[in-house]
Amino acid sequence: KDNFGNIRGFVREFVVGLKAMFKGLFDVITNMVGLFVDFFKGDFEGVKEHFQGIIDGMVNGFKGLVYALLNLLAIIGIAIFRILKGAFDTTIDAIEEVIVGLMNWLKDKFVWMLQKVASIISAISSLPGLGFLSGKSESLSNLANTLKATTITNPKGWGIGAEMQLDPWTAARTGQ
Protein backbone atom coordinates (compact mmCIF):
# COMPACT_ATOMS: atom_id res chain seq x y z
CA LYS A 1 0.00 0.00 0.00
CA ASP A 2 1.05 3.58 -0.52
CA ASN A 3 2.12 5.77 2.37
CA PHE A 4 0.00 8.76 1.41
CA GLY A 5 0.91 11.89 3.34
CA ASN A 6 3.36 9.86 5.48
CA ILE A 7 0.38 8.47 7.38
CA ARG A 8 2.47 5.56 8.68
CA GLY A 9 4.86 8.02 10.32
CA PHE A 10 1.96 9.81 12.01
CA VAL A 11 0.50 6.51 13.24
CA ARG A 12 3.90 5.50 14.59
CA GLU A 13 4.24 8.84 16.41
CA PHE A 14 0.67 8.52 17.72
CA VAL A 15 1.68 5.23 19.35
CA VAL A 16 4.81 6.90 20.76
CA GLY A 17 2.58 9.59 22.30
CA LEU A 18 0.23 6.98 23.80
CA LYS A 19 3.20 5.09 25.28
CA ALA A 20 4.52 8.32 26.83
CA MET A 21 1.06 9.11 28.23
CA PHE A 22 0.68 5.66 29.81
CA LYS A 23 4.26 5.75 31.11
CA GLY A 24 3.49 9.10 32.73
CA LEU A 25 0.30 7.62 34.23
CA PHE A 26 2.25 4.62 35.52
CA ASP A 27 4.88 6.97 37.04
CA VAL A 28 2.10 8.93 38.79
CA ILE A 29 0.58 5.74 40.27
CA THR A 30 3.89 4.23 41.38
CA ASN A 31 5.03 7.54 42.92
CA MET A 32 1.69 7.92 44.73
CA VAL A 33 2.15 4.48 46.26
CA GLY A 34 5.74 5.35 47.14
CA LEU A 35 4.62 8.67 48.61
CA PHE A 36 2.13 6.97 50.99
CA VAL A 37 4.64 4.27 51.96
CA ASP A 38 7.34 6.87 52.72
CA PHE A 39 4.82 9.08 54.54
CA PHE A 40 3.81 6.27 56.87
CA LYS A 41 7.45 5.27 57.36
CA GLY A 42 8.28 8.85 58.25
CA ASP A 43 10.75 9.28 55.35
CA PHE A 44 9.91 12.83 54.39
CA GLU A 45 12.84 13.07 51.98
CA GLY A 46 11.31 10.11 50.07
CA VAL A 47 7.88 11.83 50.24
CA LYS A 48 9.44 14.88 48.60
CA GLU A 49 11.06 12.76 45.86
CA HIS A 50 7.84 10.85 45.18
CA PHE A 51 5.84 14.08 45.09
CA GLN A 52 8.29 15.41 42.48
CA GLY A 53 7.90 12.07 40.61
CA ILE A 54 4.10 12.51 40.62
CA ILE A 55 4.45 16.01 39.14
CA ASP A 56 6.97 14.76 36.53
CA GLY A 57 4.70 11.82 35.65
CA MET A 58 1.71 14.11 35.22
CA VAL A 59 3.70 16.49 33.01
CA ASN A 60 5.14 13.65 30.91
CA GLY A 61 1.72 11.98 30.65
CA PHE A 62 0.11 15.25 29.57
CA LYS A 63 2.87 15.86 26.99
CA GLY A 64 2.37 12.32 25.67
CA LEU A 65 -1.39 12.90 25.48
CA VAL A 66 -0.96 16.17 23.57
CA TYR A 67 1.59 14.54 21.23
CA ALA A 68 -0.77 11.63 20.56
CA LEU A 69 -3.72 13.96 19.94
CA LEU A 70 -1.75 16.12 17.51
CA ASN A 71 -0.72 13.05 15.55
CA LEU A 72 -4.30 11.77 15.65
CA LEU A 73 -5.47 15.08 14.18
CA ALA A 74 -2.89 14.73 11.40
CA ILE A 75 -4.09 11.17 10.70
CA ILE A 76 -7.73 12.31 10.57
CA GLY A 77 -6.77 15.24 8.33
CA ILE A 78 -4.95 12.95 5.89
CA ALA A 79 -7.91 10.54 5.88
CA ILE A 80 -10.39 13.35 5.17
CA PHE A 81 -8.13 14.68 2.42
CA ARG A 82 -7.96 11.22 0.82
CA ILE A 83 -11.76 10.89 0.93
CA LEU A 84 -12.30 14.32 -0.60
CA LYS A 85 -9.62 13.71 -3.25
CA GLY A 86 -11.25 10.40 -4.19
CA ALA A 87 -14.67 12.03 -4.44
CA PHE A 88 -13.25 14.87 -6.54
CA ASP A 89 -11.42 12.47 -8.87
CA THR A 90 -14.57 10.38 -9.30
CA THR A 91 -16.63 13.48 -10.08
CA ILE A 92 -14.08 14.73 -12.62
CA ASP A 93 -13.96 11.29 -14.27
CA ALA A 94 -17.76 11.27 -14.55
CA ILE A 95 -17.81 14.77 -16.03
CA GLU A 96 -15.09 13.82 -18.53
CA GLU A 97 -17.06 10.71 -19.50
CA VAL A 98 -20.19 12.79 -20.12
CA ILE A 99 -18.26 15.35 -22.17
CA VAL A 100 -16.57 12.67 -24.28
CA GLY A 101 -19.94 10.94 -24.78
CA LEU A 102 -21.49 14.22 -25.86
CA MET A 103 -18.62 14.87 -28.26
CA ASN A 104 -19.07 11.42 -29.82
CA TRP A 105 -22.83 11.96 -30.11
CA LEU A 106 -22.25 15.33 -31.83
CA LYS A 107 -19.67 13.71 -34.12
CA ASP A 108 -22.19 11.02 -35.07
CA LYS A 109 -24.82 13.66 -35.87
CA PHE A 110 -22.29 15.61 -37.93
CA VAL A 111 -21.39 12.43 -39.86
CA TRP A 112 -25.09 11.77 -40.53
CA MET A 113 -25.48 15.35 -41.78
CA LEU A 114 -22.41 15.05 -44.06
CA GLN A 115 -23.74 11.81 -45.51
CA LYS A 116 -27.10 13.43 -46.26
CA VAL A 117 -25.46 16.49 -47.84
CA ALA A 118 -23.20 14.21 -49.94
CA SER A 119 -26.19 12.23 -51.18
CA ILE A 120 -28.06 15.44 -52.05
CA ILE A 121 -25.04 16.82 -53.93
CA SER A 122 -24.66 13.49 -55.71
CA ALA A 123 -28.31 13.61 -56.75
CA ILE A 124 -28.24 17.20 -58.02
CA SER A 125 -24.81 17.00 -59.70
CA SER A 126 -26.41 15.20 -62.64
CA LEU A 127 -28.60 18.24 -63.34
CA PRO A 128 -27.54 20.47 -66.23
CA GLY A 129 -24.93 23.04 -65.23
CA LEU A 130 -24.16 21.40 -61.86
CA GLY A 131 -21.60 18.83 -63.03
CA PHE A 132 -18.85 20.66 -61.15
CA LEU A 133 -20.39 19.28 -57.90
CA SER A 134 -19.74 15.62 -58.77
CA GLY A 135 -16.28 15.49 -57.08
CA LYS A 136 -17.56 17.34 -54.02
CA SER A 137 -19.97 14.56 -53.16
CA GLU A 138 -17.16 12.01 -53.04
CA SER A 139 -15.02 14.28 -50.86
CA LEU A 140 -17.87 14.74 -48.40
CA SER A 141 -18.48 10.97 -48.33
CA ASN A 142 -14.78 10.35 -47.64
CA LEU A 143 -14.86 12.93 -44.84
CA ALA A 144 -18.01 11.36 -43.35
CA ASN A 145 -16.49 7.86 -43.48
CA THR A 146 -13.26 9.05 -41.88
CA LEU A 147 -15.13 10.82 -39.11
CA LYS A 148 -17.34 7.79 -38.59
CA ALA A 149 -14.24 5.60 -38.07
CA THR A 150 -12.74 8.08 -35.61
CA THR A 151 -13.44 7.63 -31.92
CA ILE A 152 -13.11 10.53 -29.53
CA THR A 153 -11.55 9.35 -26.29
CA ASN A 154 -10.22 10.88 -23.12
CA PRO A 155 -6.90 9.29 -22.20
CA LYS A 156 -6.23 9.34 -18.46
CA GLY A 157 -3.84 12.01 -17.28
CA TRP A 158 -4.43 14.31 -20.24
CA GLY A 159 -7.34 16.20 -18.74
CA ILE A 160 -10.52 16.80 -20.68
CA GLY A 161 -9.71 16.52 -24.37
CA ALA A 162 -10.04 14.45 -27.48
CA GLU A 163 -7.57 12.26 -29.29
CA MET A 164 -8.29 11.47 -32.92
CA GLN A 165 -6.47 8.75 -34.80
CA LEU A 166 -6.57 10.67 -38.08
CA ASP A 167 -7.22 14.26 -38.97
CA PRO A 168 -10.54 13.95 -40.84
CA TRP A 169 -10.07 17.07 -42.97
CA THR A 170 -6.69 15.96 -44.27
CA ALA A 171 -7.99 12.41 -44.75
CA ALA A 172 -10.92 13.63 -46.85
CA ARG A 173 -8.73 15.81 -49.05
CA THR A 174 -6.07 13.14 -49.59
CA GLY A 175 -8.50 10.22 -49.87
CA GLN A 176 -6.98 8.28 -46.93
Side-chain angles (χ1 to χ4, degrees):
K1 285 282 191 178
D2 64 338
N3 188 15
F4 183 81
N6 192 25
I7 197 164
R8 289 183 184 148
F10 286 109
V11 170
R12 194 170 27 256
E13 293 304 310
F14 172 74
V15 172
V16 167
L18 285 180
K19 285 180 182 177
M21 180 188 75
F22 284 115
K23 183 183 180 317
L25 182 62
F26 180 75
D27 289 347
V28 167
I29 293 170
T30 56
N31 280 300
M32 286 178 86
V33 170
L35 181 128
F36 285 116
V37 168
D38 286 345
F39 179 77
F40 289 119
K41 283 182 11 184
D43 180 10
F44 294 108
E45 189 62 34
V47 169
K48 181 180 170 187
E49 288 176 20
H50 286 295
F51 184 74
Q52 182 62 40
I54 292 170
I55 300 298
D56 290 344
M58 289 171 56
V59 168
N60 290 335
F62 183 72
K63 285 181 2 185
L65 175 65
V66 168
Y67 191 71
L69 289 176
L70 289 175
N71 281 289
L72 181 63
L73 285 175
I75 293 166
I76 291 170
I78 291 169
I80 289 171
F81 178 78
R82 285 187 83 164
I83 290 168
L84 292 176
K85 182 181 180 307
F88 179 76
D89 289 347
T90 302
T91 303
I92 291 299
D93 288 347
I95 290 170
E96 288 176 348
E97 192 174 315
V98 166
I99 289 172
V100 169
L102 179 63
M103 291 171 66
N104 276 314
W105 180 80
L106 288 172
K107 177 200 61 119
D108 292 342
K109 297 307 167 199
F110 187 66
V111 166
W112 176 82
M113 181 193 68
L114 283 175
Q115 289 170 337
K116 294 301 176 191
V117 169
S119 66
I120 291 170
I121 289 175
S122 177
I124 64 170
S125 66
S126 61
L127 295 175
L130 297 176
F132 68 93
L133 293 175
S134 63
K136 307 300 181 207
S137 171
E138 190 176 321
S139 292
L140 282 177
S141 291
N142 287 341
L143 176 61
N145 290 333
T146 302
L147 274 174
K148 190 174 186 177
T150 304
T151 303
I152 299 172
T153 59
N154 181 23
K156 292 293 175 201
W158 288 21
I160 297 174
E163 172 187 297
M164 296 183 130
Q165 288 80 17
L166 184 64
D167 174 14
W169 307 106
T170 305
R173 278 186 275 119
T174 60
Q176 294 181 0

